[in-house]
Amino acid sequence: MSTIESVVQETRVFPPSEETVKKATISGMAAYEALCKEAEQDYAGYWARLAREHVTWKTPFTKSLDESEAPFYKWFPDGTLNVSYNCLDRQVEAGKGDKVALIFEADDGKVTKVTYKDLLARTAKFANALRAQGIKKGDRVLIYLAMSVEGVVAMQACARIGAIHSVVFGGFSAKSLEERILDAGAVAVITADEQCRGGKNIPLKPAVDEALNLAVGHNVKTVFVVKRTGGACNMVAGRDVWYHDIVAGQSETCEPEWVDAEHPLFLLYTSGSTGKPKGVQHSSGGYLLHAILTNKWTFDLKDDDVFWCTADIGWVTGHTYITYGPLACGATEIVFESVPTYPDAGRFWKMIQDHKVSVFYTAPTAIRSLIKANEGNPATHPRNYDLKSLRILGSVGEPINPEAWMWYYNNVGGGRCPILDTFWQTETGGHMITPLPGVTPLVPGSCTLPFPGIQATIVDETGHELEWGKGGFLVVKKPWPSMIRTIWGDADRFKKSYFPADFQGKLYLAGDGAMRDAKTGYFTIMGRIDDVLNVSGHRMGTMEIESALVANPLVAEAAVVGRPDDLTGEAICAFVVLKQSRPSDEDAKKIAKELRDWVGKEIGPIAKPKDIRFGENLPKTRSGKIMRRLLRALAKGEEITQDVSTLENPHILDQLKQNA
Ligand code: WT7
């Protein structure tokens, strides 16, 4: 696993090749520095210039930034636009109607190509269908769909009519769905009968039914159901409609709803340091601008590129780098339904070869699992495939350890392709700190330098900037267009979480620790400073998992911490005290399984603790505070060297060393 030391000691540097520099839109360090300087001198003017150049406005804005209610910033407030128009109509009007927008590859390998003209027609039809059901601007629509053309269409259709979508990852449980339906006050849900993954059909619709039964007082009037497999599917009369029925007969044109730049485009729920997930609210104009710019500058997207981001639309990466950014740039992109290991661990490489993918964006956890799988089965090693079409690689979601970086660089990129280690968050809308292909010499394990215009730095607990070489809190000094606008329904939590009073309410607090290299100023992310874990690039709140565990009738008390894991980055380790006496052996295994399944039902399978350890109690101070630092050491398997004499109950440490 990557450690901060291994990154700090990293001496390998990979400058961009001459060819890449020549081709790149932002070409050379001087060009990068000029942009940074422009933004430093006048950030509002800098972003306004770019917003005029890259976004098509219905009504051009006259005011770049309204800071009067900071930190509730308003970008381009008097401009109007439509995001779906910018993604689809704009391409068709520019003569790209017959260009392939989406290459959809299904679980079983079946390929469907959708042109810009088709995608616009499909979006218009579904947008009309939404309107026909009474859904209008500002309404919240929950989307619970797997990777599919319909998933992209559903999001685009919401954007077209000004409805605010909230996509919930298909791996979340009915209970999680219920919470989000209620919190967002959704009026409709878009789902499918089943999803196909790894050769299996997995039901989706029953979770929606269960969620709506649980959600007392919900506002959902319509459930749209895409028929993916034709498997058994319960339809509730008067509420549920088949997607194919409802779009049939709809017109292929649909006048977009022109909305203010600040109109919310979507909510996306993510974990924080309390038990309740937060609905991150994004805008239309500012968000779209950054989606476009980062695709053009970080990925250097050009007209002849084939782009593939392997994320799911249930995460922010799938929003910015599948549904919105690449389409707004008129690119051809892959939408992949399945998993990297089906039918074997060569799937990614085969698809890159088949579709001549040139820009490939994936997560370190996928790379690590494929390294491992390829060791077991050399036939699926990337060397067996023709990957010459690749020119740019990306990484996202968690730190990429230098070993995985080198493997990705040599074996997938053939030593030719820059790896862009992009640091960002659900809240930031798009890349924040990242190399640019034609600019930045790469150092494995470092996300290098801020995206032009992002004024990131590192401060101490009082908000004072630290010199390079010192670790501290990662912050952003100035607002930027794609930043989170608020937490849905909880403006106070928004302020407290991201613009805390400790920093005079002026700095955006990312929630990560970071440090800058003493010589180069390159950033290295050291991980979350709050109680948030990163498991396979998925963000999980420890409090959320703890709440789920203690909701089980068997459990008296629970504490959850992360520990390093070679494959998933971090693994979830739960320390549990039962109401009954401490179980041993078989009994412990049985209850551990029961608790894992319980968490799977409460939150989703991704939240299941890998380790469960039972104790008669948890290590506490005499005032009753759980000593999480000790638990983290226990989870890692470290010898406890610190003084535990102040502990109320030192003997339970031995119990908590054992995994059930
Ligand atoms: C957290 C955000 C960005 C979209 C996917 C995750 C971690 C993200 C990196 C990176 C080191 C990273 C941070 C961040 N993270 N990218 N390149 N290097 N850490 O979005 O679920 O909102 O999670 O993921 O800890 O705060 P998210």
Side-chain angles (χ1 to χ4, degrees):
M1 234 348 263
S2 119
T3 57
I4 182 78
E5 290 77 27
S6 68
V7 173
V8 170
Q9 287 160 17
E10 181 64 59
T11 51
R12 288 168 288 199
V13 180
F14 299 82
S17 73
E18 224 170 279
E19 200 190 328
T20 312
V21 177
K22 221 162 89 195
K23 181 159 184 170
T25 300
I26 309 298
S27 182
M29 192 52 93
Y32 168 79
E33 281 170 350
L35 288 167
C36 295
K37 197 157 161 225
E38 184 189 343
E40 258 164 54
Q41 284 166 351
D42 173 14
Y43 55 94
Y46 166 82
W47 292 113
R49 171 177 75 75
L50 294 166
R52 287 190 187 99
E53 286 170 14
H54 296 269
V55 172
T56 303
W57 298 89
K58 178 72 173 175
T59 327
F61 58 90
T62 60
K63 198 172 164 45
S64 169
L65 172 64
D66 176 355
E67 300 189 88
S68 61
E69 288 165 58
F72 301 94
Y73 297 96
K74 296 186 191 75
W75 283 95
F76 324 123
D78 61 350
T80 68
L81 79 165
N82 180 278
V83 171
S84 145
Y85 173 87
N86 271 270
C87 293
L88 305 175
D89 310 57
R90 184 159 79 148
Q91 313 307 347
V92 174
E93 286 166 17
K96 285 190 185 179
D98 292 320
K99 179 174 178 175
V100 173
L102 307 180
I103 302 175
F104 174 69
E105 185 164 317
D107 194 50
D108 64 5
K110 187 167 174 277
V111 173
T112 312
K113 294 188 178 173
V114 184
T115 64
Y116 273 96
K117 215 163 61 194
D118 292 345
L119 191 58
L120 174 57
R122 287 196 193 210
T123 299
K125 284 178 99 160
F126 189 49
N128 287 328
L130 289 171
R131 275 188 180 148
Q133 292 294 310
I135 297 163
K136 54 183 195 312
K137 177 179 162 188
D139 284 346
R140 276 80 60 207
V141 174
L142 200 124
I143 300 178
Y144 189 61
L145 278 172
M147 290 299 289
S148 51
V149 174
E150 288 81 4
V152 175
V153 168
M155 293 165 81
Q156 288 284 348
C158 287
R160 194 158 192 94
I161 66 167
I164 304 167
H165 62 66
S166 182
V167 185
V168 177
F169 175 59
F172 277 117
S173 68
K175 195 90 204 325
S176 296
L177 210 48
E178 176 218 348
E179 237 172 31
R180 288 155 173 76
I181 286 170
L182 285 175
D183 189 83
V187 301
V189 178
I190 306 168
T191 188
D193 52 355
E194 300 186 309
Q195 57 174 328
C196 308
R197 273 168 93 83
K200 289 195 217 73
N201 295 348
I202 307 155
L204 270 177
K205 176 66 168 39
V208 174
D209 292 340
E210 198 187 329
L212 290 176
N213 283 337
L214 289 169
V216 181
H218 72 75
N219 295 325
V220 172
K221 310 264 177 326
T222 317
V223 177
F224 300 88
V225 188
V226 174
K227 192 179 267 184
R228 171 63 184 93
T229 63
C233 183
N234 167 52
M235 297 291 280
V236 176
R239 187 195 73 185
D240 301 354
V241 293
W242 286 107
Y243 179 95
H244 59 265
D245 284 342
I246 203 108
V247 296
Q250 293 292 348
S251 161
E252 290 189 355
T253 58
C254 171
E255 176 65 13
E257 184 82 39
W258 304 105
V259 299
D260 291 346
E262 280 298 318
H263 181 69
L265 179 63
F266 65 86
L267 309 179
L268 188 59
Y269 284 83
T270 189
S271 296
S273 39
T274 71
K276 198 170 156 313
K278 38 193 181 184
V280 172
Q281 179 182 318
H282 276 289
S283 70
S284 297
Y287 169 82
L288 177 68
L289 173 63
H290 206 56
I292 293 172
L293 281 181
T294 51
N295 274 282
K296 285 189 181 167
W297 293 359
T298 312
F299 294 130
D300 196 37
L301 268 193
K302 297 276 155 63
D303 213 30
D304 54 354
D305 275 314
V306 177
F307 180 64
W308 183 12
C309 163
T310 68
D312 191 285
I313 53 165
W315 310 112
V316 72
T317 310
H319 285 57
T320 311
Y321 300 103
I322 297 178
T323 301
Y324 293 116
L327 296 177
C329 295
T332 296
E333 62 170 330
I334 311 274
V335 175
F336 179 45
E337 182 178 40
S338 188
V339 294
T341 48
Y342 180 76
D344 59 43
R347 183 74 184 261
F348 274 3
W349 326 135
K350 180 168 187 312
M351 284 179 61
I352 292 171
Q353 170 181 285
D354 289 354
H355 302 298
K356 301 202 166 42
V357 172
S358 53
V359 184
F360 181 64
Y361 190 31
T362 195
T365 186
I367 299 292
R368 288 193 299 266
S369 74
L370 293 174
I371 295 174
K372 204 167 159 200
N374 293 157
E375 277 164 8
N377 179 10
T380 62
H381 192 278
R383 75 170 89 83
N384 302 308
Y385 301 82
D386 178 0
L387 305 181
K388 280 199 278 297
S389 58
L390 287 172
R391 69 181 191 95
I392 283 171
L393 302 174
S395 170
V396 62
E398 51 182 319
I400 178 162
N401 42 308
E403 304 72 32
W405 196 101
M406 287 309 306
W407 188 91
Y408 192 25
Y409 187 75
N410 288 323
N411 295 293
V412 182
R416 297 174 291 109
C417 310
I419 298 179
L420 313 171
D421 177 359
T422 61
F423 167 85
W424 59 295
Q425 311 173 294
T426 305
E427 292 88 341
T428 70
H431 303 156
M432 296 300 281
I433 306 181
T434 177
L436 301 185
V439 172
T440 326
L442 307 170
V443 172
S446 168
C447 53
T448 74
L449 297 170
F451 189 84
I454 301 299
Q455 301 189 34
T457 190
I458 295 171
V459 298
D460 64 16
E461 52 288 314
T462 61
H464 286 106
E465 261 182 81
L466 289 168
E467 58 193 280
W468 293 0
K470 291 221 167 92
F473 301 98
L474 179 62
V475 297
V476 186
K477 293 190 284 186
K478 292 286 182 268
W480 71 101
S482 69
M483 66 197 294
I484 173 177
R485 291 307 193 264
T486 188
I487 292 173
W488 183 258
D490 202 345
D492 205 42
R493 189 176 176 194
F494 163 77
K495 275 217 267 204
K496 286 201 179 105
S497 311
Y498 304 108
F499 292 91
D502 307 353
F503 301 161
Q504 293 76 49
K506 287 203 174 351
L507 302 176
Y508 168 83
L509 177 68
D512 282 286
M515 75 181 266
R516 301 188 73 162
D517 182 86
K519 277 202 224 67
T520 58
Y522 276 18
F523 285 79
T524 296
I525 307 297
M526 293 150 77
R528 301 287 308 190
I529 50 166
D530 49 11
D531 295 318
V532 170
L533 306 183
N534 190 327
V535 182
S536 298
H538 298 150
R539 194 159 142 183
M540 305 293 332
T542 54
M543 294 270 281
E544 228 176 308
I545 307 170
E546 285 167 12
S547 314
L549 282 167
V550 296
N552 184 290
L554 291 175
V555 177
E557 202 176 8
V560 169
V561 301
R563 65 155 173 80
D565 182 275
D566 282 347
L567 220 52
T568 57
E570 265 185 301
I572 301 167
C573 182
F575 296 90
V576 177
V577 182
L578 296 179
K579 289 177 185 158
Q580 67 192 60
S581 59
R582 178 173 179 265
S584 50
D585 307 331
E586 286 313 301
D587 216 22
K589 283 208 168 58
K590 209 183 107 233
I591 299 175
K593 180 177 183 306
E594 220 176 294
L595 294 181
R596 280 193 188 95
D597 291 345
W598 173 270
V599 173
K601 275 196 87 87
E602 287 284 300
I603 305 174
I606 48 171
K608 287 185 183 182
K610 188 155 185 184
D611 303 349
I612 294 190
R613 302 172 181 202
F614 295 105
E616 281 159 20
N617 204 337
L618 298 174
K620 290 181 189 150
T621 59
R622 285 182 201 274
S623 61
K625 227 167 119 39
I626 297 172
M627 299 183 76
R628 286 175 185 272
R629 215 159 23 91
L630 255 182
L631 291 179
R632 278 192 279 270
L634 283 171
K636 275 196 220 164
E638 284 175 2
E639 272 313 309
I640 307 292
T641 49
Q642 65 211 93
D643 180 16
V644 291
S645 57
T646 57
L647 267 185
E648 181 74 5
N649 42 16
H651 74 281
I652 53 136
L653 294 185
D654 281 332
Q655 297 179 353
L656 294 174
K657 282 182 187 158
Q658 299 156 37
N659 259 331

